[in-house]
Amino acid sequence: MTPTATHKYIPDPHEAVTKLTSLLGAVSDAGLAVTGRHNTTPIPTLTAAASSDTAAGLHATFLQAIHTAEQNWINSPLGKSIDNASNKDFGRYLIGNGANGIDGGTLAEATGGAGGLLFGDGGRGATDAAGQGGAGGNGGLLGNGGDGAD
């Protein structure tokens, strides 16, 4: 089949990885310019070797980079300020990490809180007064679920 004008260009995977790494670096630099400090968690560098792996490997690397950038935003002073305002205005927890469970209370108190609907990790579960472990909270759309307690 001969390519026609209706076919879209599919970039070389190495080129796509290089552009994505550059974009994530720019986002990190923008955070420095706005907050006046570097992020505490470095954004992982994507390598050409990662693009040679299976699609699942690239997908996992890409999602890890997004998760790291998300957590850097949530934990930055500017992110906290904007996230709190948007959560209040929307009337629902959209962005933020869930609260960790409380040790020594009821099982409901030992259960970790859910992360924000869009972004955020679930809170870690704790152990209640009876010794039963609480479940970890659910993660948001782009978040990880919290660890349950033993």
Side-chain angles (χ1 to χ4, degrees), residues 81 89 100:
S81 174
D89 291 344
N100 291 331

Side-chain angles (χ1 to χ4, degrees), residues 12-53:
D12 174 40
H14 297 283
E15 179 183 348
V17 168
T18 301
K19 287 181 179 182
L20 179 61
T21 301
S22 175
L23 173 65
L24 292 174
V27 169
S28 181
D29 291 344
L32 171 62
V34 172
T35 64
R37 66 186 190 108
H38 282 287
N39 294 325
T40 56
T41 306
I43 295 175
T45 303
L46 301 177
T47 64
S51 68
S52 299
D53 292 343

Side-chain angles (χ1 to χ4, degrees), residues 44-138:
T45 303
L46 301 177
T47 64
S51 68
S52 299
D53 292 343
T54 63
L58 180 59
H59 184 70
T61 302
F62 180 71
L63 287 181
Q64 182 58 45
I66 290 174
H67 182 260
T68 300
E70 163 206 331
Q71 288 299 305
N72 287 338
W73 169 260
I74 288 173
N75 294 308
S76 73
L78 179 63
K80 288 177 184 177
S81 174
I82 292 174
D83 297 346
N84 288 337
S86 65
N87 290 338
K88 179 181 166 210
D89 291 344
F90 191 74
R92 178 147 187 188
Y93 198 52
L94 293 177
I95 302 171
N97 293 326
N100 291 331
I102 300 170
D103 282 323
T106 65
L107 183 57
E109 292 172 330
T111 300
L117 185 63
L118 298 176
F119 304 108
D121 292 343
R124 178 187 51 79
T127 304
D128 71 3
Q132 186 172 358
N138 293 328

